[in-house]
Amino acid sequence: MDKTKKSTKRLRTAKDLNRLVIDYYLECHEAKRRGTPVGWMPPMNGAIELFYAMDLQPVFPENWSPVCAAFGLTPGNFDVTDGLGYSRDLCGYLRNITGYVHGFMNDESIPLGGLPEPDILLSPGGGCVPVMKIFHILERRFPKAKVFSADLPQVAVEDIRKHHLDYAVWEMNRLIDFLTEVTGHRMDHDRLAEVVKLSDQACALWDEIMSYRRFIPTPLSAAEIGIMFVMVTRQGTQIAVDFLTAVRDEVKERAEAGIGVIDDERIRLFWDNIPLWYNMGLFNYFEKMGGVAVAETYSAAWSLRLDTEHPLEALAMKSLMSYPLVSCVSIRKRKEMVLKACREYSIDGAVLHRNKSCVPITLGQMDIKRALEEELGVPSVIIDADHMDDQNFSVAQFETRVDAFMEMLYEKKGLKL
Ligand code: SF4
């Protein structure tokens, strides 16, 4: 296996995704040219719906990092960040975006035209330390951008109470006031209600798509999880709903016809932690041994329904919950989520990516490993790697551990390799 590799895709709709990615970045640049204010923000919160409802352009520097990894831009960005004196131990998203904005940002050769400069920065007051630091760096790099310093309590999902929600609603209103003041765009609450409905439809479709992965054989593997692009960049738009409807139809058709990702699915795997964005082809590595990555931790981040009767409260709740789903979450809750997924998707073995770049999501993996074995009898293997930096990934180590793990799973199921 190569150190960097694209995944093999089986869905027809995967081709449409390439078009959607191009269109989104073209739209960002077109918005900038038209004079529509461009705001950079962290993903997975209710600000995206506010932006679309107010005819503002949302841009996600974190999402740009997987795009950089796919286009091979990451090593150059890392060199710039290293030169600025940042530690190589920091989160790869931070290292990539820091290098990008201080390096090749305005280079004409950047694929998709890169990112248009921000007029607004939504600087988070929570999530994880790297994501907050990314925005502190951006504030210094783009001193003319208007900065909204957001503040939300860091509460585990199960501990969210009414007073947390009230405060989050108050913050959403403060954000609307800020956006109105700095852009002159006003909030149309009927339009916001439509956007929230579309966002909720996208979430429902997402859940439905994921549910078809329970079929044996599964019609969709982690190799195609790039479809989450629309959940990051297009939530609250008809574009996301149309695309996910097409994916749902295709996945449903394949599931009901018994068409799997591979012809002979023998081992069903769970992937914990962020994928290796520079090597999504790694998911295909399991396939030569009849293994398919059927479910993963990351996709749960988008499994969140919105209360469409109360749009602002729905977005406030989304903002409180979204980050905690992947980072600020109790280990008990994370363990529960992984165990539940392993039960529901008939998992034979779990691959735990010990991600050098993301301590928050890696935390608690040993507890998860133990719980999988003791409560479900599901064996797991730890893979040392990094979701952004291929220097922290050894192909030889990966292959050795995975080959031995697959051999053990075959034996456990009484199969011959
Ligand atoms: S959650 Fe992990 S990957 Fe995301 S910004 Fe924080 S440290 Fe980086």
Side-chain angles (χ1 to χ4, degrees), residues 186 402 406 416:
R186 300 201 157 273
V402 166
M406 292 296 283
K416 284 224 176 327

Side-chain angles (χ1 to χ4, degrees), residues 28-42:
C28 293
H29 287 284
E30 183 48 34
K32 186 79 183 176
R33 266 192 294 277
R34 272 199 318 267
T36 300
V38 168
W40 286 21
M41 64 184 69

